[in-house]
Amino acid sequence: MPTGPAGSGVVDGAVPSPTDRTVSGLRDDTRHITRRTTTGTRPRMVKRCTTRVRRVKHTSTSGTGRRKRTRTWYTDDSYKDCKKVQQGTMRYTRVVRRARWCVELDNVGGNSTEDDVWYEVESDVYRKATQLKEGAKLSFTPLRKGC
């Protein structure tokens, strides 16, 4: 059952296509929030193997009835017993905050009351916006509203 205006094609639960999400307005400002990282440590796990020997019992039977004989002998079978054990620590880089590129628009959708609206965008859209003068027309598909 349609929930939008008649003939709009909007259906309950439908995800709008990227063309429906395109916004346009006048470029106001741009903001790049850099990625922040920190160094962390975690245990360094290594595989440690030891060679072990297992005693294996063999039997062989010959004859039948009262003359049946069973011969038994043993051999040593060696195998590797491996376990992961901690050997010191290792350092790694952990991302605390991901990088974000933001653009602020005025007159969003031609509405003069919708000013100073921030959108998070992809880096190439941000680069394009920085090359435009303030007040220039700009339209793009944002990743999300706000920044």
Side-chain angles (χ1 to χ4, degrees):
M1 167 165 266
T3 58
S8 70
V10 176
V11 180
D12 271 341
V15 177
S17 66
T19 55
D20 296 335
R21 293 185 22 189
T22 300
V23 295
S24 61
L26 304 177
R27 178 203 178 277
D28 188 7
D29 201 4
T30 59
R31 180 188 307 164
H32 177 227
I33 300 170
T34 58
R35 181 176 85 147
R36 183 176 291 164
T37 61
T38 186
T39 306
T41 58
R42 62 177 157 231
R44 179 174 175 256
M45 303 302 282
V46 295
K47 191 176 180 182
R48 183 157 300 148
C49 297
T50 55
T51 304
R52 301 204 181 264
V53 177
R54 166 178 31 223
R55 196 161 169 101
V56 181
K57 180 180 179 180
H58 304 276
T59 57
S60 171
T61 308
S62 61
T64 57
R66 286 178 54 185
R67 293 175 192 219
K68 191 174 193 178
R69 286 192 161 246
T70 302
R71 189 174 140 250
T72 304
W73 72 97
Y74 296 89
T75 59
D76 291 336
D77 184 23
S78 41
Y79 64 98
K80 282 191 175 181
D81 187 19
C82 298
K83 293 178 182 170
K84 280 199 169 190
V85 294
Q86 182 180 343
Q87 183 178 355
T89 57
M90 62 187 287
R91 297 174 74 85
Y92 70 100
T93 302
R94 184 168 56 92
V95 177
V96 177
R97 179 183 67 203
R98 64 182 179 81
R100 293 192 329 226
W101 295 270
C102 305
V103 175
E104 184 183 19
L105 292 181
D106 287 340
N107 288 349
V108 178
N111 187 353
S112 59
T113 59
E114 282 211 45
D115 284 349
D116 302 326
V117 181
W118 283 97
Y119 294 99
E120 186 176 339
V121 295
E122 293 178 354
S123 60
D124 57 334
V125 174
Y126 170 82
R127 220 170 292 117
K128 177 183 166 189
T130 56
Q131 293 171 353
L132 295 173
K133 290 185 178 179
E134 193 170 316
K137 278 194 163 197
L138 180 64
S139 65
F140 54 84
T141 303
L143 297 174
R144 61 190 56 81
K145 195 171 182 176
C147 187

